[in-house]
Amino acid sequence: MHVPDGFINAPVSAVAGVVAAGAVAVSLRGARKELDERTAPLAGLVAAFIFAVQMLNFPVAAGTSGHLLGGALAAILVGPYTGVLCIAVVLLMQGVLFADGGLTALGVNITVMGVVTVVVAYALFRGLVLVLPRTRRSVTVASFVAALVSVPAAATAFTAIYAIGGTTDVPLPKVLTAMVGVHVLIGIGEAVITMLTVGAVIAVRPDLVHGARGLSAPLKLRVDGELVDAAPATPVAPAGSPKKLWIGGVVTALVLAGFVSFYASASPDGLEKVAADKGIDAKVEPHAAADSPLADYGVKDITDARLSGGLAGVIGVGATLAVGSGAFWAVRRRRNATTGARV
């Protein structure tokens, strides 16, 4: 759902840029409460992992593919504020290095793919966790539903923005129907990927999953006919260290982007397909970074498609990991400095 330049006019793109900048500013402040010495490295990893998985387009209908948006996954793993920042970092790297998503449309993309998906997914996720039994299975089920709903919600948000600032005159009801219809199918893939990833991390380090915190309800004992809280049990050591989880995640992201991505579907994604069918792309503009050495997820002057795409994917994962980790460590240090000043 990476919106290119030319789909949305300049005034609406500028307003979306202001909205996105405001959301990032609010998220930078909110992320200070979500990030600590354990979760800051995980946040950088989440951004790199989402970058890698977004390269894996999967078929959803005849001639149409989809890929992970990642807002639900990021929000559940590292928190909603940090989740918005994760998606913003991914979109920035994709737009600047790989000419994927317009630069003038960066605000639109962050708003649609980052803010909308995170807000919708996390609100639904928290609501489901409150009413479901307090178990790890409930977290994975809630993550599935939240991710599923977040994708057509983002498609609806794009259609609303296009209704206000679209550069072509197209029948909007048909666009909305087509966008939501195909993105419901994409949402199923998003939900499966999110559920499996959240479940895998919970199985190893549930304490690092933001959405799984506070799962264990206090044990109750009946004393003289009344229920009282039992003494807390001795905490069980987590199954794996954060360092092992981080290394395993980085290796997985590199394999996905550097090798598995070669086998991804080559069909246009949901937005590209709808844009071509409905004429939304009539005034699309060339990307400002079209001459980038990594444009279109390939390394310039390397003729072997497998090697070019794989190397570009590895570079992308490394760059996203470096930028994301640096940003989140800076936010964490800012939190520590603020806490220290208050003390």
Side-chain angles (χ1 to χ4, degrees), residues 58 67-72 147 150-151 186-195:
F58 48 85
H67 63 71
L68 181 81
L69 298 186
S150 71
V151 178
I186 295 172
I188 296 173
E190 175 107 9
V192 171
I193 294 171
T194 301
M195 179 185 67

Side-chain angles (χ1 to χ4, degrees), residues 293-295 297-312 315:
L294 298 172
Y297 298 93
V299 178
K300 191 175 182 180
D301 297 330
I302 295 182
T303 57
D304 184 278
R306 186 189 298 270
L307 178 60
S308 177
L311 184 57
I315 293 172

Side-chain angles (χ1 to χ4, degrees), residues 18-32:
V18 172
V19 172
V24 169
V26 171
S27 297
L28 283 170
R29 179 176 294 275
R32 296 177 191 174

Side-chain angles (χ1 to χ4, degrees), residues 10-101:
V12 175
S13 294
V15 172
V18 172
V19 172
V24 169
V26 171
S27 297
L28 283 170
R29 179 176 294 275
R32 296 177 191 174
K33 299 178 181 180
E34 295 174 345
L35 295 172
D36 56 30
E37 64 279 358
R38 299 180 307 160
T39 56
L42 179 62
L45 171 60
V46 168
F49 181 79
I50 289 174
F51 175 92
V53 180
Q54 283 196 3
M55 294 182 66
L56 308 180
N57 281 49
F58 48 85
V60 295
T64 310
S65 70
H67 63 71
L68 181 81
L69 298 186
L73 177 62
I76 295 168
L77 287 180
V78 293
Y81 295 108
T82 308
V84 170
L85 298 179
C86 284
I87 304 301
V89 168
V90 171
L91 292 172
L92 179 64
M93 303 305 295
Q94 290 171 332
V96 173
L97 295 181
F98 299 92
D100 188 10

